[in-house]
Amino acid sequence: MLEIRNLSLSIPVSGEHVLAVSDVSLSLQAGKVLALVGESGCGKSLTAQSLLRLGEFQGVAKETGDILLGGQSLFDISAEALRKIRGGVISMIFQEPMTALNPVFTIGSQILEVIHLHTDLGKVESHQRALALLADVGLQDGETLMKQYPDSLSGGMRQRILIAMAMAGEPEFIIADEPTTALDVSVQKRIIALLRGLQREKGMGMLLVTHDFGLVAEMADEVAVMYAGEIVEQASVTDIFDNPSHPYTQALMRCRPEFVQDGQLAVIPGNVPSPGDWAQGCRFAPRCSLATDECAAKSVALNAWQDGEHQARCIKVGV
Ligand SMILES: Nc1ncnc2c1ncn2[C@@H]1O[C@H](COP(=O)(O)OP(=O)(O)O)[C@@H](O)[C@H]1O
Ligand SMILES: [Mg+2]
């Protein structure tokens, strides 16, 4: 199990550290998909990257909380152990396949580097392994492909290669941050089918960051909704669709493309506040059609019902 426990993260804003993720708790289980949803700027990527302690490279600091892998804190291990975990136990698939590959190295050398990092295979076996990984992600002519450079490939092929690289260390957990957003719709479907197939076949736990509820319905077991740096609702995928409880979740649901009315896609009025500009009480209250004075008065804790299976951060639900 991979667990985020009461994690708060701050980011550098003009020389000061400002809270951008606050008191987030989530857990990933083997074989299960947890979807993390919410509008842009809510802190989803910061949360996802924290699982590999990647934010630190961009000045993100942990203020409170912990990340536990099988009970062991990722903040309490050696740099060497952390390097082995990255890609060996937890792998990340990024949104932008172009920037994640190095343009000056061949596909082959980039895949072989990852294999080298995570296995003791010799030269011939590594090459075989690279071909097998490419075949696993639906890329057939591996020999030719390995000699090519990233910019000669389509976005869909590049994302397949990144998925192959993410699988090279046979990870137990996969963090996919909007893995298909940069791709054409038809390619998206195939990449999702591939990811879902690999996740099930290998029994990996997965964190899927997305704003696509179609994808959530197709892939997720559990859903966490994030707004302004905090989790505002969490439940099983069935409960999220059947009984969305937080007004923010309900608003996101109404904005789905399948609910287009008179050619108009619904939008939530207003914008996600930047870190540092969060409202005092309920952070969604300024945009919430149900908000009353009480909502703005003080911050709201997560209420839980159904034996804790369904949680929402709203004074109007779950009590
Ligand atoms: N390294 C960073 N330095 C400064 N600000 C950042 C950094 N990373 C993210 N942010 C800011 O933190 C907020 C949350 O970002 P992010 O986690 O990327 O949101 P999401 O993935 O939900 O769109 C945004 O306002 C973003 O601009
Ligand atoms: Mg993001």
Side-chain angles (χ1 to χ4, degrees):
M1 183 153 111
L2 178 59
E3 207 182 347
I4 299 181
R5 209 179 270 175
N6 303 110
L7 187 73
S8 296
L9 302 170
S10 63
I11 51 168
V13 177
S14 38
E16 281 180 49
H17 266 86
V18 177
L19 213 57
V21 167
S22 67
D23 201 27
V24 165
S25 295
L26 292 172
S27 63
L28 299 188
Q29 325 262 350
K32 299 279 185 204
V33 179
L34 169 67
L36 185 58
V37 302
E39 291 162 286
S40 209
C42 286
K44 304 181 302 296
S45 292
L46 283 171
T47 303
Q49 287 166 14
S50 75
L51 288 164
L52 282 170
R53 292 185 49 189
L54 292 175
E56 290 159 42
F57 298 112
Q58 275 120 38
V60 179
K62 185 191 77 152
E63 296 296 328
T64 61
D66 210 345
I67 294 173
L68 302 169
L69 174 65
Q72 162 82 56
S73 169
L74 290 189
F75 291 95
D76 209 17
I77 56 172
S78 66
E80 177 61 19
L82 185 59
R83 244 194 321 274
K84 290 223 169 86
I85 287 171
R86 289 187 181 129
V89 185
I90 311 169
S91 265
M92 181 115 190
I93 297 169
F94 296 92
Q95 174 171 348
E96 200 18 274
M98 192 48 185
T99 49
L101 285 166
N102 192 327
V104 303
F105 293 106
T106 61
I107 299 303
S109 68
Q110 296 188 62
I111 297 184
L112 288 169
E113 188 188 334
V114 194
I115 294 172
H116 184 67
L117 200 66
H118 294 294
T119 69
D120 308 319
L121 297 176
K123 210 171 166 204
V124 178
E125 289 92 343
S126 293
H127 193 87
Q128 293 306 324
R129 174 91 178 113
L131 293 175
L133 283 166
L134 289 173
D136 276 354
V137 297
L139 294 170
Q140 293 316 325
D141 191 8
E143 291 288 0
T144 313
L145 206 54
M146 282 176 71
K147 295 189 192 96
Q148 288 180 290
Y149 289 86
D151 64 2
S152 64
L153 307 174
S154 69
M157 282 175 95
R158 284 197 288 256
Q159 194 59 303
R160 282 175 197 268
I161 285 159
L162 286 174
I163 294 169
M165 286 165 70
M167 295 300 147
E170 302 189 324
E172 292 165 39
F173 296 97
I174 189 120
I175 317 299
D177 191 351
E178 313 218 21
T180 57
T181 314
L183 305 172
D184 292 343
V185 178
S186 60
V187 182
Q188 285 184 5
K189 287 208 164 62
R190 292 200 290 271
I191 295 289
I192 287 308
L194 167 68
L195 266 180
R196 191 181 46 192
L198 287 169
Q199 181 268 327
R200 294 207 176 142
E201 184 191 315
K202 317 232 183 248
M204 294 182 293
M206 183 170 187
L207 178 69
L208 175 69
V209 176
T210 180
H211 48 245
D212 179 346
F213 273 97
L215 203 56
V216 173
E218 213 172 315
M219 287 199 65
D221 297 291
E222 186 80 13
V223 183
V225 183
M226 200 163 181
Y227 184 76
E230 62 188 0
I231 303 295
V232 296
E233 182 159 2
Q234 185 169 354
S236 70
V237 69
T238 347
D239 282 343
I240 284 286
F241 281 94
D242 291 352
N243 186 22
S245 299
H246 195 287
Y248 181 58
T249 313
Q250 294 170 354
L252 285 177
M253 291 281 193
R254 282 193 296 271
C255 297
R256 279 179 288 167
E258 52 270 43
F259 287 85
V260 167
Q261 279 193 332
D262 309 322
Q264 288 282 317
L265 192 62
V267 290
I268 309 175
N271 295 303
V272 176
S274 300
D277 292 336
W278 295 335
Q280 280 289 314
C282 166
R283 293 177 192 171
F284 186 59
R287 300 173 72 191
C288 181
S289 57
L290 305 174
T292 54
D293 290 349
E294 206 188 344
C295 299
K298 59 180 197 308
S299 60
V300 187
L302 277 170
N303 293 317
W305 62 101
Q306 285 179 16
D307 293 329
E309 300 281 303
H310 199 144
Q311 303 181 21
R313 199 182 286 279
C314 175
I315 55 170
K316 301 189 187 278
V317 297
V319 283

